Amino acid sequence: MAVHDHPHRHSGFRFPFLHRSGTAPAADTTTVTATSAYVFAGLRLLTGFVFLWAFLDKTFGLGYATQSGKGWIDGGSPTQGFLGGVAVGPMESTFHDWAGAAWADWLFMLGLLGIGLALTAGIALRLAAVAGTVMMALMWIAEWPPAKHLSDGSASMSTNPFADYHLVYAVVLIALAAVGAGATWGLGRAWARLPFVGRNRWLL
């Protein structure tokens, strides 16, 4: 008696498109790229607003982090409260010396304004990333998350010894510059075509 081999018949649900090509269909890279560009552009605008709002609130005393009547234009110091209140870390005394100094106020406020405008417009993102990373690093040191206790022995209330929001902001700034996030919903392309920017690529 002859034995004939019959093809195996699989029961159950089948995906026809998998059998036609043998593999899952490749993702539409054009759609993925476009979506990523919009996501980064949105992240850029939101981050820019964070810096711009901090500048506006500290300048005009809008009643959020800065009380009304205590803004920079009213004679208040944008750095006095934060740096003067540093109570932990290796630069505690240095920050106390800087608190309220005119040069510190101007550098801090110009940094907030410059980074905020650059992110919102989508230009000079590399400069914004460098300046913002330096600013975030100094603020990280001022709060010194690794410490469990302040200089007076009280609890620091630190929730993480390393990764806090300053670090997150710094990484976001670097990522936005790395992917050229100013090209979507921004002036990044027009900025890159300017002759002096073309000669000085670090201005991108």
Side-chain angles (χ1 to χ4, degrees):
M1 182 177 182
V3 178
H4 299 282
D5 292 327
H6 297 284
H8 296 288
R9 296 183 180 181
H10 300 282
S11 59
F13 189 76
R14 302 176 68 186
F15 295 92
F17 60 85
L18 292 180
H19 291 280
R20 284 197 298 268
S21 62
T23 58
D28 187 341
T29 56
T30 302
T31 301
V32 172
T33 301
T35 302
S36 299
Y38 291 130
V39 169
F40 277 112
L43 180 61
R44 190 197 83 236
L45 292 172
L46 285 174
T47 308
F49 182 71
V50 169
F51 283 88
L52 279 181
W53 179 259
F55 171 81
L56 294 172
D57 184 58
K58 293 178 184 302
T59 299
F60 301 105
L62 299 179
Y64 288 84
T66 305
Q67 296 179 8
S68 179
K70 294 188 177 181
W72 198 22
I73 62 170
D74 300 310
S77 169
T79 61
Q80 181 63 57
F82 181 69
L83 295 182
V86 173
V88 67
M91 294 183 63
E92 179 180 351
S93 60
T94 301
F95 285 134
H96 289 171
D97 292 337
W98 292 359
W103 65 267
D105 289 342
W106 276 95
L107 279 179
F108 180 57
M109 295 300 281
L110 288 176
L112 290 177
L113 178 61
I115 295 167
L117 289 176
L119 291 173
T120 303
I123 62 175
L125 295 184
R126 292 181 182 179
L127 280 177
V130 171
T133 298
V134 171
M135 180 184 291
M136 292 300 105
L138 288 172
M139 295 178 76
W140 187 91
I141 294 172
E143 293 195 1
W144 201 244
K148 294 181 179 179
H149 300 89
L150 303 179
S151 298
D152 62 2
S154 61
S156 68
M157 304 304 291
S158 175
T159 59
N160 190 297
F162 176 66
D164 75 340
Y165 65 100
H166 297 110
L167 177 64
V168 173
Y169 279 134
V171 171
V172 167
L173 290 171
I174 294 170
L176 292 174
V179 301
T184 302
W185 295 343
L187 303 175
R189 288 193 177 92
W191 175 259
R193 287 195 296 266
L194 294 176
F196 71 91
V197 176
R199 293 191 299 269
N200 302 277
R201 305 303 290 173
W202 55 273
L203 290 172
L204 288 173

